[in-house]
Amino acid sequence: NENKWSTIFYDQPEKNFTYEEELQHFFKSIKKTKNLLSTGEDGMLTLNVIDAIRMSHKNSRLVYIQEFDGDNS
């Protein structure tokens, strides 16, 4: 069995900066009592979308966010 796949692009950053800028902004906002880029409500809506995606996959059907109530059954 020969490996039929070949790497055409590979990039691995030296450090994971995924949340570094977000954390810096969060701490600066707390110190200066500035508004955050996103609110707790934004976070909750994002989690609802993620949970709806999981529900859609689990039940093999389309799930509309309006019908999603957060119940993972």
Side-chain angles (χ1 to χ4, degrees):
N1 284 347
E2 289 185 30
N3 185 0
K4 296 182 181 182
W5 296 93
S6 62
T7 303
I8 58 173
F9 177 77
Y10 182 79
D11 183 32
Q12 184 174 8
E14 293 180 24
K15 183 178 177 183
N16 184 356
F17 294 102
T18 308
Y19 299 107
E20 189 171 320
E21 288 184 17
E22 290 177 39
L23 284 172
Q24 286 176 2
H25 170 74
F26 178 72
F27 293 133
K28 285 178 185 176
S29 295
I30 291 173
K31 286 180 182 177
K32 298 179 181 181
T33 60
K34 287 177 33 179
N35 291 338
L36 297 171
L37 292 175
S38 59
T39 65
E41 185 176 339
D42 294 333
M44 183 59 82
L45 292 172
T46 301
L47 290 174
N48 284 344
V49 170
I50 292 168
D51 286 340
I53 290 168
R54 288 180 178 154
M55 177 186 267
S56 175
H57 174 72
K58 179 181 177 183
N59 298 318
S60 298
R61 70 177 186 87
L62 188 62
V63 173
Y64 294 94
I65 302 300
Q66 294 87 352
E67 76 177 82
F68 184 73
D69 65 1
D71 182 15
N72 290 327
S73 55

